[in-house]
Amino acid sequence: MTQNTPTTIHRLDYREYPFNITNVGLHFDLHETATRITSTLSVSSKENQPADLVLNGEDIKLVAISLNGQTLEEQQYSINEQTLVVPALQGQFELSIVSECNPAENSTLMGLYVSGNSFFTQCEAEGFRRITFFPDRPDVMSIYTVSICADKARYPYLLSNGNLCASTDLPDGRHQVTWEDPFRKPSYLFALVAGDFDIREKRATTQSGRDVLLQVYSDKGSGHQTEWALESLENAMKWDEERFGLELDLDRFMIVAVRDFNMGAMENKGLNIFNAAYVLADPNTATDANYEGIESVIGHEYFHNWTGNRITCRDWFQLSLKEGLTVFRDQEFSADMMARNLDASAAASARAIKRIDDVTRLRTAQFPEDAGPMAHPIRPESYQEIGNFYTATVYEKGAEVIRMQHTLLGEEGFRAGMDEYFRRHDGQAVTCDDFINVMESVYQQRNPGKDLALFRNWYSQAGTPRVTVRLDYDEAQQRCAVTLSQDCAPVGVEKLQDGFVKQPFHIPFAMGFISQSGQPITLHLEGQQHATVLLELKEQSQTWHFDQVPERPIPSLLRDFSAPVIVDYPWTNQELAILCAHDSNPFSRWEAVQELSSRELLRIANTLAQGAQPTLDSALLHVWKTNLGDPNLDAGYRAWLLTLPAEKILAERMNPIAPVAIAKAREFVRQELARGLLDLWLQTLSQHETPGAYSPDPVNAGRRSLKNLALAYLLSIQNPQAIQAAFAQYQNASNMTDRIGALSPLVSYYEGDERDEALAQFYEQWQHDPLVVDKWFALQANARNATAQTILGLMAHPAFNLRNPNRARSLIFQFCINNTEGLHQEDGSGYEFWADQVIALNSINPEIAARLARVMDNWSRYSPALKSGMLQALKRVEAHPGLSKNVFEIVSKALNI
Ligand code: B3K
Ligand code: ZN
């Protein structure tokens, strides 16, 4: 953890590993503080000459090593803090290594660790080297046989990848099991779990008629909370069969929930390990968003079995090969699940909601990343610590890059491409180029003379392109010319490369025309008619001529967000208002509302930043009134239309960023919209109850979301009727969505004693459930009046534990990431708090510390008064002795911009 001399690894330095490791035999003798692992490797050289066998190993003790049964003396190998090297080996041989690790002391949660009363592993990306000495890289693929021995009473379940093939009791109260995984895999997909669990299971039949066992393991006493997870797993299995023809390839698929976990979940072959937050749910403890998240993450990990495990990455620069593709697949899965059983218009609106949600995530997390010191292409060129590159760019932008290929090839073409990808590469460790080569071959068959040459720039260049749109209308000819121009300045490491010139991107750009009266106008282009046309921008600037345009149209641009770009077009506010009410594309209608409200919010933020008193433009009130009062719109969709753009999205449009002015502007507008439409909000509140048994389906979830939004607006002006309704809802709620939906605005806006009583009562009632306690902390971390002092007070609560990532995230991350006014206090107390917590986490869990460190990424874009405090805090972290390479990479990049 104390190696802050940065070694930068470059993509172009990739070299093949000189040996095949055909078989790996692992024996685990599990003890909490000293687990002994014997690893037996069957090795053969790839080349006809001797080579050094280099094995990775970190924080583990070498006990013994032998080659073909002969113990190696110390002078026959070399070992340091990171590697074990046996020199000049050739031919076929068997290497046997005994090593020891201390799972109870392992607070990094990488490798083998103890959580609660059980053992778990996390190996991606480089955790296997904390278990045993091994070439810990994804292109070394082997068949694994694993035996595990542990105390039977405490660890009745001993799990690993593949199929259980032997199980015996040992004389000393211990027992031993053996697992065999029939598929070759890289070390990062290895997993082991030992403990006592509740199990929910189900048999299912695959498309080809095979009987398989699906199991969900969770803490003793939590088995009643795994119904939704198992249902989601079965849905994911069916969906992958139907949409991609991909079937489960094992007889048994296991999911295990763990309370201490660095991220959401992990796709280990046949033995997925999940953060309990993405497994456990019941109506009383989980919100609609939790249900949605569980379905999506269960789908994501399950889909990795083909996109990630069967075909894996050659090296970690190719991470988006599996992550971007699998996020695209999980997004489509969720959209299909949300739209099922609905009529056409409700289905379109459910799909739009999913797209809006995904685009909002991209704009909130990825756009700022792409504009800051950590900006990197979806296939990075270099890294110091790969753990820092599980980013919004690799995942979310990676998914957009796959989605653009889907758009260019069409559903059928994309499916043909995926089929071909498996035909060519099943069982291999490949690159992003291999993927796009396959897609291009299908694209070319269907579009003779065209290629994806320029499209590849999405893999090699960072930054968010800006597409400027110009519209020239010729009334006499009834023609309209649309000119698209693209621009993307160098960002992140690109800025440090002399003479770096950016190439244009291939941008699929979907658009439509709307008349001044709000009617769709058919687009006539080169003899073809379209309701929505897909333009392909491939040069710096291109023009398209549309015929038979009866009036000057209002363009509806980048429909369904057909590319991850920023659009620049000078709509008048009147034109936007027409789109806000009439755009037939539900995504673009929401976009128009975002654009209009962003303009207004930024205007008000600037007024506030200058110390002046703002007033709200009545046009915005009118748009809110129309949408709030439109009974034809689905409630969930309406909730999105009525949600103000996120602070982080607005910050991207402000220079320098004045975060508190943005937060205050949102608050001002929220209150004006609440006052101006008081009766409509009250009506909305009373008309969107969801009586009967709880169901997380999108229609009911949408009603709750609109109702709770109304509550938040009304509480922002402390409306007495709404305060009463919120307390009643809090007391009588039959589900967590409504309970939190009432308590959250009460905590922010209501100052009476009842507020504290409700909070205390919430803790009292739910203290036995860690995921609900996380919500209790998060609620307070996000409260409008919380400061660093409040958070320090909460950290002293007996339920707080910095070593548990979910708890750290619920309090510290929530505050630092979401509580703008709390973090950006003028006295610098927020930044001091941030630095203290990064330093504290650094010595416990570098991966989590590095995530928190990223909060200051864009410090240099903030207003001068804030910048200096941020800089000071960053420098303090950088100077901290014993900084992990994870945190070092983040802060040094932030400071070197
Ligand atoms: N592949 C894992 C992420 C591993 C992160 C390691 N730091 C989860 C996922 O994307 O499915
Ligand atoms: Zn993934």
Side-chain angles (χ1 to χ4, degrees), residues 578-859:
I578 293 170
L579 292 173
C580 288
H582 299 290
D583 197 324
S584 53
N585 181 285
F587 178 85
S588 296
R589 179 170 174 178
W590 168 80
E591 271 290 46
V593 179
Q594 292 288 295
E595 177 62 25
L596 190 69
S597 45
S598 295
R599 288 181 184 183
E600 181 63 357
L601 282 158
L602 289 167
R603 186 185 66 77
I604 291 172
N606 284 321
T607 311
L608 286 168
Q610 286 154 17
Q613 187 52 37
T615 48
L616 182 75
D617 182 343
S618 62
L620 201 70
L621 190 75
H622 186 74
V623 167
W624 249 248
K625 187 176 175 185
T626 314
N627 286 331
L628 183 55
D630 187 343
N632 296 322
L633 295 175
D634 168 71
Y637 176 63
R638 230 182 313 162
W640 273 107
L641 286 179
L642 300 163
T643 300
L644 293 169
E647 289 173 17
K648 292 197 168 49
I649 295 178
L650 294 166
E652 285 306 291
R653 297 173 65 154
M654 197 177 201
N655 185 21
I657 303 171
V660 175
I662 292 178
K664 289 197 185 309
R666 280 183 95 245
E667 208 42 51
F668 172 82
V669 172
R670 192 205 310 272
Q671 292 178 10
E672 289 296 290
L673 292 171
R675 269 188 216 101
L677 303 171
L678 187 64
D679 291 344
L680 264 180
W681 288 117
L682 285 167
Q683 239 175 55
T684 307
L685 186 60
S686 62
Q687 286 171 354
H688 290 83
E689 292 294 335
T690 48
Y694 171 84
S695 156
D697 70 82
V699 173
N700 277 299
R703 291 175 69 84
R704 280 187 287 273
S705 148
L706 183 58
K707 178 190 62 180
N708 291 329
L709 182 81
L711 210 45
Y713 270 96
L714 290 164
L715 283 194
S716 77
I717 51 167
Q718 281 151 29
N719 173 273
Q721 200 179 329
I723 291 172
Q724 216 178 14
F727 276 113
Q729 178 173 314
Y730 173 68
Q731 299 300 348
N732 304 328
S734 62
N735 61 75
M736 186 51 88
T737 309
D738 281 343
R739 199 169 290 123
I740 290 262
L743 188 56
S744 168
L746 280 173
V747 167
S748 269
Y749 295 110
Y750 184 73
E751 279 170 8
D753 290 345
E754 300 96 314
R755 164 197 186 265
D756 296 337
E757 282 161 21
L759 264 175
Q761 187 271 332
F762 186 96
Y763 182 76
E764 186 65 26
Q765 188 177 355
W766 299 107
Q767 55 182 310
H768 60 278
D769 189 317
L771 295 175
V772 185
V773 175
D774 287 339
K775 291 179 166 62
W776 182 76
F777 277 115
L779 199 63
Q780 298 175 78
N782 278 304
R784 282 183 58 242
N785 38 16
T787 62
Q789 213 48 45
T790 322
I791 308 305
L792 286 168
L794 285 163
M795 285 173 71
H797 190 280
F800 186 77
N801 171 11
L802 192 60
R803 291 167 73 101
N804 175 250
N806 283 0
R807 201 53 48 95
R809 280 187 280 255
S810 73
L811 188 57
I812 298 170
F813 283 58
Q814 284 291 335
F815 176 76
C816 290
I817 295 174
N818 294 329
N819 198 325
T820 309
E821 294 191 52
L823 180 72
H824 297 286
Q825 294 275 309
E826 273 169 22
D827 61 4
S829 57
Y831 308 147
E832 285 287 304
F833 171 80
W834 165 85
D836 289 342
Q837 302 318 317
V838 172
I839 289 169
L841 280 165
N842 175 69
S843 53
I844 298 173
N845 188 328
E847 188 173 347
I848 298 291
R851 289 261 162 193
L852 184 63
R854 296 216 41 204
V855 165
M856 294 294 153
D857 263 12
N858 287 331
W859 66 276

Side-chain angles (χ1 to χ4, degrees), residues 473-488:
Y473 182 62
D474 179 340
E475 197 173 351
Q477 302 285 328
Q478 302 227 317
R479 292 189 89 203
C480 188
V482 172
T483 302
L484 304 183
S485 311
Q486 57 170 307
D487 176 50
C488 188

Side-chain angles (χ1 to χ4, degrees), residues 141 161-162 181 183-185 188-189 210 233 237 240 246-253 266-272 298-312 322 326 329 422 426-427:
M141 297 173 79
N161 319 84
D181 183 353
F183 294 94
R184 288 168 72 238
K185 66 167 177 288
Y188 84 85
L189 291 174
R210 268 186 328 104
L233 178 59
M237 188 180 123
D240 217 10
L246 298 170
E247 185 171 305
L248 178 60
D249 55 6
L250 289 162
D251 299 339
R252 166 176 181 149
F253 190 90
M266 177 63 212
E267 70 264 25
N268 317 299
K269 186 78 188 187
L271 178 57
N272 285 191
I298 293 223
H300 180 95
E301 307 309 331
Y302 177 81
F303 304 142
H304 264 316
N305 190 46
W306 282 93
T307 51
N309 301 4
R310 288 288 287 250
I311 305 184
T312 194
K322 72 176 178 84
T326 306
R329 277 154 51 71
F422 294 113
D426 189 14

Side-chain angles (χ1 to χ4, degrees), residues 459-498:
Y459 285 87
S460 56
Q461 299 184 144
T464 310
R466 180 174 291 273
V467 175
T468 306
V469 182
R470 189 191 146 111
L471 191 144
D472 293 292
Y473 182 62
D474 179 340
E475 197 173 351
Q477 302 285 328
Q478 302 227 317
R479 292 189 89 203
C480 188
V482 172
T483 302
L484 304 183
S485 311
Q486 57 170 307
D487 176 50
C488 188
V491 283
V493 281
E494 291 173 352
K495 286 206 275 198
L496 306 175
Q497 295 167 33
D498 274 348

